[in-house]
Amino acid sequence: MTVLVVGGGGREHAICHFLKKSPKVRKLICAPGNGGIADIAECAPVKATDIEGMLALAKEKHVDFVMVAPDDPLAGGMVDAFEEAGLPAFGPRKSAAILESSKVFSKALMQKYNIPTARYEAFDDMEKALAYIQGKETPIVIKADGLALGKGVIIAQTTEEARAAVYEMMQDKRFGDSGSRVVIEEYMTGPEVTVLCFTDGKTIVPMPSSRDHKRVYDNDEGPNTGGMGAFCPSPDYTPEVAEICMETIFLPTINAMKAEGRTFKGVLYFGLMLTPDGPRVIEYNARFGDPETQPVLSLLDTDIFDIFDAVVNEKLGDIDIKWKSGAACCVVLASGGYPNQYQTGYPIEGLDSMKNDVMVFHAGTRKNNGGYFTSGGRVLGVTAVAGDLKTAVSKAYSVSGQIYFKDMQYRKDIGKGV
Ligand code: AMP
Ligand code: GLY
């Protein structure tokens, strides 16, 4: 089989790494890819959102199977386009990817089907949004409706901050059209956990739980990022919690989507908060998370291509997905200044990737004359597997300490104090 992976971050490097192990994958192509992916796959310079370009690439390279990883091509209908062209493609169709691309949609779905989440109101009128905030308890949470690189959520500590957030989204258009509608919701408390699930629309199979670290600095300080590190599994996600989530959240979600005529196939990402009143949904994503995928897939003990194939063919119930015991930790090495402005083009030293059960997944890198250079905000995801979390964390940090590029920054507390 010739398999095309769409995307070019750390998540896609991990997906390519594990696809490469499948005896069924003869040839791997990734577009646009990155410096690390270039070592294991043929990279093609097609933008992840370029549907026509991707179709042409697939045709030219005689691709047999496509895996669409990022949110924006999914929301734009890339899977639909491949299906129409007769090519099997992994990922939700546009009608189902809306679960991530519109918070107004996902909140209304949860309300309609009694799926536990924060109480909310949605607004497309700024004056009404401002009036609603008045007199509401704080903290209060303001969310842009559409995709905003994981940054469209503001936890306002005061009414003034909440008003400012509404102005910023609805008047100043900080997130473009994504903020023309907003969701204003109740502030929840409790440990956060991510559960990625494979689903073919009928069967849903959770992967081991994980925890992302969204803030840029230690102790969850500083602005939100795409994710500065993750570990797996989360000790907060006990078998009892898992059972409650399956009954009250996972199955009801795929059944709701089916009932709405929007059958969801692919990976469904549940961002959960374990509140004193039980698990509740913070957000859905319509894809593998980044960086959660790097540690989670590191524990997979089944051919990943077989799983993708079963999802596409709606035969997920027929396969037995196995996971290694133990734990995994991914530390993201980022450019100085990220998530705000940062410089790129710096040489990366000390890279000894894919050795000794520590995998260095590349995100913002490019390869030039045999060397690797920084090309993005999140540069590398150093991912270690071990029998227990403490050992995985210490291995990931030991390798991170050997890598260097100018102005490199990373959190020192991923997976610690758990
Ligand atoms: P999201 O992009 O929806 O995952 O939100 C980003 C982060 O904001 C989450 O990981 C939570 O830490 C926080 N968050 C979002 N919604 C809420 C809420 N209703 N209550 C408390 N924290 C929230
Ligand atoms: N790590 C969060 C996300 O992928 O959206």
Side-chain angles (χ1 to χ4, degrees), residues 8 34 40 52 60 89 98 102 110 123 137 152 158 225 246-247 255 270 319 362 374 382 384 397 416:
N34 62 35
I40 55 170
E52 288 308 314
E60 179 198 329
I98 190 173
S102 170
M110 287 186 267
F123 298 94
E137 252 182 64
T158 61
T225 68
M246 181 55 89
E247 294 308 317
N255 291 336
F270 294 89
I319 63 169
H362 290 226
T374 65
V382 180
Y397 275 107
K416 293 187 183 164

Side-chain angles (χ1 to χ4, degrees), residues 119-131:
R119 280 188 295 274
Y120 83 106
E121 288 287 334
F123 298 94
D124 53 16
D125 181 303
M126 189 172 79
E127 292 307 324
K128 286 194 179 139
L130 291 170

Side-chain angles (χ1 to χ4, degrees), residues 6-7 11-12 31 47-51 54 68-82 92-94 97 147:
V6 175
R11 164 185 58 204
E12 288 78 5
K47 268 175 67 178
T49 45
D50 179 359
I51 296 182
M54 223 43 96
V68 183
D71 51 5
D72 30 12
L74 290 168
M78 189 176 276
V79 166
D80 311 52
F82 276 116
R93 292 181 185 153
K94 183 176 181 168
L147 300 177

Side-chain angles (χ1 to χ4, degrees), residues 103 107 118-119 141 143 150-155 185-189 192 212 214-215 224 269 271 273 281-285:
K103 290 195 194 289
K107 294 296 290 191
R119 280 188 295 274
V141 184
K143 300 187 173 186
K151 293 164 200 157
V153 173
I154 291 172
I155 316 252
E185 70 179 30
E186 159 203 19
Y187 178 73
M188 304 186 288
T189 54
E192 278 186 52
D212 187 8
K214 289 201 168 85
R215 304 287 185 133
N224 265 328
Y269 170 126
M273 194 168 270
V281 177
I282 302 173
E283 64 159 351
Y284 293 116
N285 288 329

Side-chain angles (χ1 to χ4, degrees), residues 203-262:
T203 304
I204 184 157
V205 182
M207 304 180 216
S209 62
S210 55
R211 171 133 27 114
D212 187 8
H213 295 69
K214 289 201 168 85
R215 304 287 185 133
V216 70
Y217 303 128
D218 284 17
N219 304 315
D220 291 330
E221 286 173 16
N224 265 328
T225 68
M228 293 297 289
F231 63 85
C232 155
S234 160
D236 298 315
Y237 194 71
T238 61
E240 294 73 44
V241 173
E243 201 177 311
I244 296 171
C245 290
M246 181 55 89
E247 294 308 317
T248 64
I249 296 174
F250 304 161
L251 283 169
T253 299
I254 60 161
N255 291 336
M257 289 298 278
K258 204 158 131 196
E260 294 291 312
R262 297 173 181 272

Side-chain angles (χ1 to χ4, degrees), residues 8-10 12-14 16-17 20 28 30 32-43 348 351 353-354 360-368 371-373 375 379-380:
E12 288 78 5
H13 192 187
C16 285
H17 176 79
K20 191 80 182 169
L28 195 57
C30 186
N34 62 35
I37 296 175
D39 290 334
I40 55 170
E42 178 183 331
C43 291
I348 306 170
L351 270 181
S353 53
M354 310 300 173
V360 181
F361 294 120
H362 290 226
T365 74
R366 65 184 171 77
K367 205 172 175 184
N368 197 3
Y372 301 95
F373 295 83
S375 68
V379 177
L380 300 165

